[in-house]
Amino acid sequence: MSAPILRVEALSKRFRGLLAIADVSFAVEPGSITSVIGPNGAGKSTLFNLVTGYLAPTAGTVSFKERTITGLATNRIAELGVSRAFQIARPFRDLSVAENVRIGALFGKAGARDVARTTRDALDLAGIAHLAEEPASVLTVGQLRHLEVARAIATRADLLLADEPCAGLNPTETAAMIDVLRRIRTSGVTVVLVEHDMPSVMEVSDRVLVLDAGRLIADGAPAEVSKNPQVIAAYLGTPD
Ligand code: ADP
Ligand code: MG
């Protein structure tokens, strides 16, 4: 593996009595798509909150490009090049799609440079260039997810964390979103994805991490992980 873009070491997060993330360690290779799977409440969103600085860990460290980012402010982590696409997109509904994406381009790593071009590129990559002038309020749920991804990558992030970008989408919309994530990876952005749709996960991921009750119970190539008995028991259902 080349130097990992993201390294999580012995990370734990306790909420009162609950160990939501329990001594989790892994590294993410640059240019890859890594999926994090696991049952509801396994700690997937908490893991993203720890990486992006929305939560402080109880123990352990997170490094981005070999630099420790644990304890840095969320905006600082974003400026370094970590961006997150939220499941519930909250766009400025009265602004156009392009204006919403432009806000992403003004923040994060992009700074004020090349805002117009960055905005255009993000709209293109997210497959919503044709919606650029529409008010965000007219978008469907699926289109809003694309807008949220466009906003996230317009920051010129090197690492995109996408938390269930396909939740609630139909199979056609899910395939379109997976396609967008693949294009984002091809553009040079490393992707970490939380996703429930197993066929999509198996198809798009270079690597799959499995969380169960805060613990990392498997970490490997999709084919390998899907055969892991512990994963089958915890998540994929008992084999026939
Ligand atoms: P997932 O995203 O895998 O469904 P979460 O990371 O959202 O799981 O939650 C993991 C566990 O931590 C759950 O039991 C959840 O209730 C708990 N949890 C998450 N965030 C908080 C919080 N801010 N305060 C207390 N408990 C939390
Ligand atoms: Mg979650």
Side-chain angles (χ1 to χ4, degrees), residues 52-168:
T52 51
Y54 283 90
L55 287 174
T58 306
T61 57
V62 178
S63 322
F64 176 64
K65 294 183 176 172
E66 313 263 45
R67 170 187 174 160
T68 303
I69 58 170
T70 328
L72 295 185
T74 53
N75 64 314
R76 186 72 198 112
I77 293 174
E79 282 165 11
L80 289 172
V82 179
S83 189
R84 173 173 184 178
F86 288 92
Q87 186 180 343
I88 313 289
R90 292 198 169 80
F92 295 98
R93 298 178 60 80
D94 297 335
L95 296 184
S96 72
V97 166
E99 285 162 336
N100 269 282
V101 175
R102 188 166 177 275
I103 290 168
L106 286 167
F107 289 95
K109 221 181 127 193
R113 283 185 304 116
D114 294 334
V115 168
R117 167 138 186 238
T118 303
T119 301
R120 257 197 325 273
D121 288 351
L123 287 165
D124 270 340
L125 264 180
I128 50 171
H130 63 294
L131 298 170
E133 301 315 320
E134 300 289 339
S137 57
V138 307
L139 300 190
T140 64
V141 172
Q143 290 167 338
L144 278 173
R145 291 278 168 72
H146 286 255
L147 171 56
E148 174 58 8
V149 166
R151 185 203 55 73
I153 58 170
T155 61
R156 291 201 180 169
D158 303 298
L159 175 65
L160 173 69
L161 307 177
D163 196 351
E164 303 198 30
C166 306

Side-chain angles (χ1 to χ4, degrees), residues 1-16:
M1 193 196 270
S2 42
I5 186 164
L6 178 71
R7 192 196 292 276
V8 166
E9 283 176 295
L11 198 66
S12 294
K13 178 64 186 180
R14 182 177 289 283
F15 296 114
R16 296 172 182 270

Side-chain angles (χ1 to χ4, degrees), residues 15 18 20 38-47 55 163-164:
F15 296 114
L18 174 79
N40 270 333
K44 305 178 298 293
S45 295
T46 300
L47 177 64
L55 287 174
D163 196 351
E164 303 198 30

